[in-house]
Amino acid sequence: MRYAEVSVNSPAARRRTFSYAIPPPMDVREGQAVLVPFGEKELQGIVMELTSVPAVEDTREILDIVESEPILSPSHLAIAYWISDYYLSPLFDTVALMLPPGFERKAITFVSLAQPGLDISSLSDEQRQVVNIISGQGRVEFKKLEKELGRRKASAVVSQLVRQGILTRSYELGPVRIKPKKELYIRLSGDDADISGLAVKQMALIDYLKERAAPVSWAEARQKTGCSRAVADALVNKGLAAFYEVEVRREPISYENITLSLPLSLTPAQQSAYEAIKSSLRKSSGSPEAFLLHGVTGSGKTEVYLQALAEAIKLGKRGIVLVPEIALTPQTIERFAARFPRRVAVLHSRLSLGEQYDEWHRIQKGEFDVVIGSRSAIFAPQPDLGLIVIDEEHEWTYKQDNSPHYHARDVALKLAELTGSVLVLGSATPDVESYYKAQNGAYRLFGLPERVVPRVGAAMPGVEVVDMRGELKAGNRSIFSRSLSQAINEDIAARKQVILFLNRRGGATFIQCRRCGFVLRCRRCDVPLAHHIAGDVLTCHQCGYRTSVPQVCPNCSSRQLKFLGIGTQKLEQEVRYTFPRVRQLRWDSDATTGRSSNEAILRKFRNKEAEILIGTQMVAKGHDIPSVTLVGVISADTSLNLPDFRAGERTFQLLSQVAGRAGRGLAGGRVIIQTFSPENYAIQAAARHDYASFYEQEIAYRRQLHNPPFTRLARLVYTHTNDAVCQREAEGLKKLLIEESAVRGFGGIDIIGPAPAFIHRLRGRFRWQLILRGYELSAFLSPVSFPHGWVIDIDPMALVQ
Ligand code: ADP
Ligand code: ZN
Ligand code: ZN
């Protein structure tokens, strides 16, 4: 007998597999999806391993095979184990990261007669009733029997009959819900219809349709002829044209406006990075290498990725490219699509389930050379993987902030090792931990020190840091320093464009009573409520709770409620007030609802429909707007003052990124950073575009304070509706962990806390946390059984949550 270790889709399964016997003649392979009995249920699972000895004596049998081919490759199985072990997450949750979308379907049980023409005279009444329902129908859904006989009886009777060999059970999975996408098409109708007396526009549409032999989508016809729907409807009414619907498979990339791009001849810096990657790709032995490309935006990193991918493809391999957020990087995707037309798959969450399912299977079949997507695209079933690229590797979106709490960069490293792939990381502001690794030889470091746009060696924009304390002293109470408002006026007079950056949404960011100091807070989350100008409501940015603005202070009934703090909506008002004739656009998550909306705002700005673009960190991402010559950072202090050891790094990254938006065109550019801490090292280094000096200072702090990369962290958060219970639980766990570390000989682990989490209350539940600092934290925590309610994050990014 052979056995399978199966990861079962049940929360009760936690981090372990279960042993099942493989009933002959069933043939099961590793990575295959199967249906297994689990308690009273039939559940889906994935075969993780085949063995000849089961882990337990009593094994049940696998019921059925779900798909004939394995869904997970051996390296994906290994990755699933690794994530589960390292991040301490349930095994099936990590397996699920790699399953095709829509995989998790309910099993439907069917019952049928084992053989026709059975003698049923010896059966009981109930048994006969069941057999009668089934006979003549082939098979019957078990649910139907449950309806007729009641749950318990149906289950008991069917079990008896199966044991007697009269009935057999079979299983099928519920349908995948695939919604086909339909597109409206238009064609001519009525061959010799009378076309005299048609309006000019109508005639133009008729001519266009005549010209085009192939089927024409209405969207295309409308775009090409400029005719409105009314024009087409008029023709339809006259019987001259007809609309019809065509089912289309959505191509996540529209190739309409994309023309093939050819490799550029590389600058010397690009060339040496490319050559190194190329020879690493060609190396057939030894462990694969990882590279860190350090270059400002516009220094030609993407061109290196593209040529490295082309090289991998030439060698018969394929690639995966991760970008921080797909909705914000349409330009990047277009560049990949233009270099490898129709060979690029895009994975993102806005495709419908059916479309994702389609795309997943096409990737698995090897239809694409390159898969591009955000964090989870690292799990794409790309065969013959040879190259993994992570662009903007420092971005926090690569870390999943719910379970499994994996970091895509660490998964990529593991995957590269398992598949023998080359890993290329790129960033203008590498994560301090990545740079430290590069310094220590774990990554090969290549610098692209010069910009290629607008021309090779173009200067970085000049940055001025304005001390806002000085502004106050000089009697300027406006949110614009004198420097910034003068610069805005100058640029607008010169018909240039301006970006104003402020990393906070809303109008006023908190509301305080001037008499008693009371701050209005969300009752469920304990964070200050922000005022949103549109709709005049107070909103909680944690849970989305909305309420109207009270007339009086809830604490002392005073009428002196003061709106304080500035968000992007308030900034919009200030701009209107200070620069009355200037047109502006606002870009933050309140102003956008989807991908098209992002693009719409950007397009308007590129088309010069506004002079000023106000935005949160969305504006900082990789958009190329050449006519922007001035970037103003309204306040650099929002991220600087957070109680998190990464606050300096975060600030440096944001400021560098925002500064990179200026001067992409030939006109050059300048950046003005307003702050109350002008002497801060992160701000100073960002102003000089000086990563090296930022890094030196930062790594010294990290070493001194025993923070990563010199140690590792784990964040343990407990939530409960009762604050005292929460605190007691956290204190109890701390005691237990201290004992554990002593008993099991894990030295050098600091346990910080327990303390209330930065957001002490979230959606009505209190949160207390412990921070562990040390080494081998996963191994230490692995055998600890945590009571329900604990969330464990290994290598957390933000401690302020
Ligand atoms: P990054 O990814 O570092 O932001 P890109 O690769 O996007 O840089 O390059 C920025 C711009 O410079 C792009 O428009 C690209 O086409 C162009 N570019 C890159 N490398 C070269 C080169 N070797 N010669 C000419 N233009 C280049
Ligand atoms: Zn008050
Ligand atoms: Zn809230």
Side-chain angles (χ1 to χ4, degrees), residues 42-247:
E42 292 84 38
L43 297 176
Q44 290 180 92
I46 297 291
V47 176
M48 304 296 290
E49 267 172 87
L50 296 174
T51 59
S52 45
V53 188
V56 289
E57 247 173 64
D58 260 343
T59 53
R60 298 165 81 179
E61 291 185 348
I62 290 178
L63 298 172
D64 206 350
I65 288 173
V66 175
E67 281 191 43
S68 57
E69 290 298 310
I71 316 192
L72 263 60
S73 67
S75 43
H76 278 157
L77 292 174
I79 286 284
Y81 272 127
W82 179 77
I83 294 178
S84 174
D85 286 348
Y86 185 77
Y87 294 102
L88 307 175
S89 40
L91 185 58
F92 193 85
D93 288 359
T94 72
V95 164
L97 295 168
M98 291 162 239
L99 294 175
F103 172 84
E104 286 181 48
R105 291 176 275 161
K106 275 223 170 69
I108 303 172
T109 309
F110 291 92
V111 187
S112 50
L113 291 182
Q115 43 195 293
L118 275 170
D119 175 17
I120 55 169
S121 56
S122 63
L123 298 181
S124 72
D125 288 352
E126 279 159 350
Q127 292 177 332
R128 210 172 299 143
Q129 188 190 351
V130 167
V131 172
N132 283 335
I133 295 172
I134 298 170
S135 49
Q137 289 205 43
R139 58 174 202 176
V140 165
E141 208 176 307
F142 180 67
K143 245 207 215 128
K144 189 175 168 196
L145 298 177
E146 279 186 338
K147 264 188 212 136
E148 304 223 355
L149 282 87
R151 272 188 96 131
R152 288 185 108 174
K153 202 166 283 171
S155 159
V157 174
V158 168
S159 294
Q160 292 156 11
L161 291 170
V162 168
R163 244 178 287 127
Q164 292 173 31
I166 296 174
L167 296 183
T168 54
R169 288 195 187 97
S170 60
Y171 306 91
E172 213 171 82
L173 290 176
V176 185
R177 279 157 294 140
I178 297 182
K179 276 198 215 112
K181 190 190 170 192
K182 295 206 167 134
E183 209 173 310
L184 197 58
Y185 272 62
I186 184 165
R187 61 175 159 76
L188 293 171
S189 71
D191 280 347
D192 297 312
D194 179 18
I195 54 167
S196 60
L198 287 184
V200 178
K201 282 251 166 189
Q202 294 173 353
M203 204 54 227
L205 185 53
I206 293 261
D207 284 343
Y208 175 74
L209 293 176
K210 271 190 183 155
E211 229 170 77
R212 293 285 308 261
V216 183
S217 77
W218 166 236
E220 190 186 345
R222 187 188 50 208
Q223 197 199 2
K224 292 277 160 63
T225 60
C227 288
S228 67
R229 178 69 190 248
V231 174
D233 284 342
L235 291 180
V236 171
N237 285 338
K238 291 192 171 112
L240 294 172
F243 281 115
Y244 62 108
E245 281 191 329
V246 173
E247 211 174 287

Side-chain angles (χ1 to χ4, degrees), residues 513-518 553-558 561:
C513 170
R514 284 196 131 176
R515 191 159 137 222
C516 73
F518 184 82
C553 169
N555 189 44
C556 75
S557 301
S558 143
L561 288 176

Side-chain angles (χ1 to χ4, degrees), residues 391-434:
D391 192 28
E392 310 288 356
E393 62 88 33
H394 64 277
E395 284 287 349
W396 289 16
T397 54
Y398 290 126
K399 169 89 177 173
Q400 177 145 300
D401 58 12
N402 44 30
S403 173
H405 288 92
Y406 71 90
H407 196 301
R409 187 179 51 220
D410 294 315
V411 174
L413 263 169
K414 203 75 201 162
L415 186 63
E417 196 183 298
L418 286 162
T419 55
S421 302
V422 172
L423 175 64
V424 177
L425 309 174
S427 175
T429 51
D431 188 311
V432 166
E433 290 164 57
S434 296

Side-chain angles (χ1 to χ4, degrees), residues 69 74 119 160 205 237 268 307 335 350 393 418 438 456 557 563 582 591-592 673 699 716:
E69 290 298 310
D119 175 17
Q160 292 156 11
L205 185 53
N237 285 338
Q307 300 202 17
R335 286 184 59 195
R350 287 205 197 85
E393 62 88 33
L418 286 162
V456 176
S557 301
F563 288 48
V582 173
T592 59
I673 296 175
I699 203 77
L716 280 51

Side-chain angles (χ1 to χ4, degrees), residues 229-344:
R229 178 69 190 248
V231 174
D233 284 342
L235 291 180
V236 171
N237 285 338
K238 291 192 171 112
L240 294 172
F243 281 115
Y244 62 108
E245 281 191 329
V246 173
E247 211 174 287
V248 288
R249 193 181 54 216
R250 180 147 106 192
E251 287 282 355
I253 299 173
S254 152
Y255 283 92
E256 242 166 66
N257 299 313
I258 293 181
T259 48
L260 180 72
S261 90
L262 295 173
L264 303 167
S265 90
L266 298 176
T267 63
Q270 286 174 317
Q271 187 73 28
S272 51
Y274 166 70
E275 290 294 341
I277 298 169
K278 181 168 147 183
S279 58
S280 190
L281 280 167
R282 293 191 167 189
K283 228 168 49 180
S284 51
S285 62
S287 52
E289 291 173 303
F291 296 82
L292 176 59
L293 295 191
H294 176 208
V296 296
T297 4
S299 64
K301 295 184 298 294
T302 309
E303 186 60 34
V304 176
Y305 308 151
L306 288 166
Q307 300 202 17
L309 282 164
E311 178 64 25
I313 295 165
K314 214 163 81 187
L315 297 168
K317 297 178 185 171
R318 302 168 198 277
I320 292 178
V321 178
L322 301 188
V323 291
E325 205 190 323
I326 212 102
L328 296 177
T329 40
Q331 288 172 332
T332 310
I333 291 159
E334 278 170 22
R335 286 184 59 195
F336 283 82
R339 189 63 58 87
F340 311 109
R342 307 208 177 269
R343 306 293 302 161
V344 178

